[in-house]
Amino acid sequence: MSQIFYPSTNTFSRLSIFGGIFIVAFLVWAWAELNESTYATRAKVPIQQPVPFSHEHHVGGLGIDCRYCHTSVENSSFANIPPTKTCMNCHSQIWNRAPMLEPVRESFRNDSSIRWIRVHDLPDYVYFNHSIHVAKGVGCTTCHGQVNKMPLMWQENSLQMSWCLDCHRHPERFVRPRSQVFSVNWQPPPNQVDMGRKLVKEYNIQSLTSCSTCHR
Amino acid sequence: MAAVALACLNIACRRDMQDQPKYIPLRPSDFFADGRSARPLPEGTVARGQLRADKVFFTGKVGDQFVDRIPFPVTRAVLERGQERFNIYCSPCHGRLGNGLGIIVRRGLKRPPSYHIDRLRQIPVGYFYDVITNGFGAMQDYSAQVAPRDRWAIAAYIRVLQYSQQASINDVPPEHRQDLGGAGTAKPAEAKKPSE
């Protein structure tokens, strides 16, 4: 019986062992990349809404403060989406015939809710709280990006655990003076880390990394 | 393949913990006809500690007369709070100086009267509380957006704006006069502060 494997196949088998490692490594890498990618985290994708509400116009153009609409963000774990009445404060008079705003008027007439589509959505096993972040000098734009440039809202960051922890481990890299929390124009100064260290002391900011901070 | 399959499995088996069948704020409900999981209070509900028995504090009136006193001591902190709240909730229309030329007015909203006209300078401070609470003419009410204590703080700050627009250089303590830029001219003293 003739031989099935010739000596030359040795090279093949060596190659394939070697190659196998690479293939596995590649798959692991590809999986990790995919997990971080905007496809998996749904970041950076503008979300279509029933009314094309533009933060670019209302915040960037008109300079309305976040709290005019998201009134509960300072005192509560969640930031409320404004009720239709808040829109009607202005839109009962401005653009009050625009077809684009018909869903708003209809909602006001019928006392029904506009069904906004959620943009950010943490898994239910994660506890998040806006008020503590706002009170300790973490600005809206640090987490939500330049909302004043968003014609439609999108999620700026991955909202993965590693993203939360990056900041919880090193808050000094991100915190800003309390007076600037709602400012959309604030940019980290060149001496952010020095200033951050001072603020961490001043505001008594702790580095919260125990699991039960967020999983409770 | 294995890794991809694993990844899929991974996603598949965490779904039920990801979206647990409970109501969190803003989540819709299939159970109620209007789809709201946050239920409106039945009419007449009074939560503990929210009886609102202090009529002056919660209406700005005694009988049907507006009060001319803020029902708690006005400290610097109250005024600063008032300034902050005013700039958030009122300045889009009334402008940071209260002259009725906010940005929304420039985009076509009915122009509100300036706070610096005589009628509004003479009016008791409770009136401002009442306008915030119940609205006035073309202006909607702000009772959902501004808490009662903050409404008083805003009312106090409107008084500050009114005084500031009538102030003369003699009202500025001498050591602060050079902070005003054109020192010595009869510029409204405080005007710079609220307009930034």
Side-chain angles (χ1 to χ4, degrees):
Chain A
M1 192 175 120
S2 66
Q3 274 193 324
I4 302 173
F5 296 110
Y6 295 98
S8 62
T9 52
N10 280 352
T11 337
F12 269 120
S13 56
R14 271 191 213 111
L15 258 181
S16 60
I17 290 171
F18 193 62
I21 291 174
F22 268 94
I23 289 171
V24 171
F26 172 78
L27 284 176
V28 169
W29 173 82
W31 183 70
E33 270 308 280
L34 190 73
N35 236 358
E36 298 269 295
S37 72
T38 54
Y39 172 73
T41 61
R42 290 180 298 144
K44 312 256 186 207
V45 186
I47 307 285
Q48 293 299 328
Q49 300 284 359
V51 184
F53 176 79
S54 161
H55 281 78
E56 188 179 25
H57 278 149
H58 290 86
V59 176
L62 303 170
I64 308 176
D65 193 286
C66 311
R67 287 165 288 182
Y68 186 95
C69 292
H70 303 294
T71 43
S72 75
V73 70
E74 286 172 297
N75 314 325
S76 151
S77 66
F78 71 102
N80 64 308
I81 299 295
T84 308
K85 156 87 176 38
T86 304
C87 312
M88 291 308 271
N89 285 350
C90 297
H91 287 296
S92 55
Q93 290 182 55
I94 288 182
W95 285 52
N96 55 0
R97 283 193 201 90
M100 201 190 259
L101 280 160
E102 181 51 31
V104 175
R105 291 191 295 268
E106 188 195 320
S107 149
F108 195 64
R109 274 198 306 274
N110 305 342
D111 191 23
S112 58
S113 309
I114 303 176
R115 298 215 166 202
W116 300 105
I117 312 295
R118 273 206 85 113
V119 180
H120 302 74
D121 196 4
L122 286 174
D124 286 358
Y125 52 78
V126 181
Y127 172 75
F128 179 77
N129 190 326
H130 271 95
S131 61
I132 181 89
H133 291 93
V134 173
K136 297 261 177 160
V138 186
C140 309
T141 52
T142 306
C143 297
H144 292 302
Q146 292 308 126
V147 295
N148 55 328
K149 306 238 165 72
M150 298 183 185
L152 283 175
M153 180 56 67
W154 64 77
Q155 178 184 321
E156 177 76 10
N157 287 298
S158 72
L159 300 197
Q160 282 173 335
M161 185 162 134
S162 60
W163 174 73
C164 311
L165 286 175
D166 272 349
C167 179
H168 278 213
R169 290 203 181 104
H170 304 286
E172 69 277 4
R173 292 187 198 155
F174 302 95
V175 292
R176 57 175 90 174
R178 277 194 190 120
S179 60
Q180 298 297 321
V181 163
F182 299 93
S183 162
V184 284
N185 299 318
W186 189 86
Q187 296 296 336
N191 64 341
Q192 167 68 34
V193 175
D194 294 337
M195 184 198 69
R197 287 219 180 89
K198 254 191 237 121
L199 291 178
V200 163
K201 221 179 250 132
E202 194 183 328
Y203 300 163
N204 190 17
I205 298 176
Q206 296 148 32
S207 169
L208 297 176
T209 51
S210 90
C211 314
S212 62
T213 309
C214 309
H215 305 294
R216 42 173 102 179
Chain B
M1 277 333 286
V4 173
L6 253 177
C8 295
L9 271 178
N10 220 349
I11 290 163
C13 61
R14 68 179 198 181
R15 270 291 149 218
D16 48 349
M17 288 303 277
Q18 194 110 339
D19 295 315
Q20 299 162 16
K22 66 179 179 188
Y23 291 131
I24 55 172
L26 306 177
R27 182 168 282 175
S29 158
D30 304 332
F31 183 76
F32 297 103
D34 62 5
R36 294 174 194 166
S37 64
R39 304 307 306 155
L41 295 177
E43 202 150 326
T45 310
V46 178
R48 224 167 238 257
Q50 295 185 4
L51 183 57
R52 309 204 149 192
D54 185 347
K55 285 277 173 286
V56 171
F57 185 84
F58 287 107
T59 62
K61 289 183 195 167
V62 176
D64 45 359
Q65 293 293 308
F66 294 112
V67 293
D68 206 5
R69 245 189 75 250
I70 292 173
F72 51 86
V74 178
T75 58
R76 192 180 175 92
V78 169
L79 291 180
E80 277 168 2
R81 175 84 180 169
Q83 179 181 30
E84 185 192 67
R85 298 290 121 174
F86 180 87
N87 287 345
I88 297 171
Y89 296 107
C90 316
S91 72
C93 301
H94 289 274
R96 293 207 162 199
L97 292 173
N99 55 10
L101 286 175
I103 184 152
I104 308 298
V105 174
R106 279 181 263 141
R107 299 295 165 97
L109 194 91
K110 176 178 177 187
R111 182 181 168 185
S114 161
Y115 293 149
H116 311 302
I117 59 173
D118 260 353
R119 178 173 63 87
L120 289 177
R121 286 171 49 75
Q122 309 300 340
I123 224 152
V125 70
Y127 179 68
F128 297 117
Y129 182 93
D130 184 67
V131 171
I132 305 176
T133 312
N134 299 317
F136 174 85
M139 176 181 147
Q140 310 270 334
D141 72 85
Y142 279 74
S143 55
Q145 281 156 282
V146 187
R149 205 183 154 83
D150 289 341
R151 292 176 214 162
W152 284 114
I154 290 177
Y157 182 66
I158 292 178
R159 278 279 184 260
V160 172
L161 284 177
Q162 290 177 332
Y163 288 130
S164 78
Q165 294 300 299
Q166 302 291 321
S168 76
I169 191 70
N170 299 327
D171 299 330
V172 184
E175 67 271 24
H176 287 302
R177 281 188 195 169
Q178 76 271 25
D179 300 348
L180 293 176
T185 57
K187 248 168 85 178
E190 283 243 54
K192 288 189 105 171
K193 196 173 114 208
S195 65
E196 288 189 352

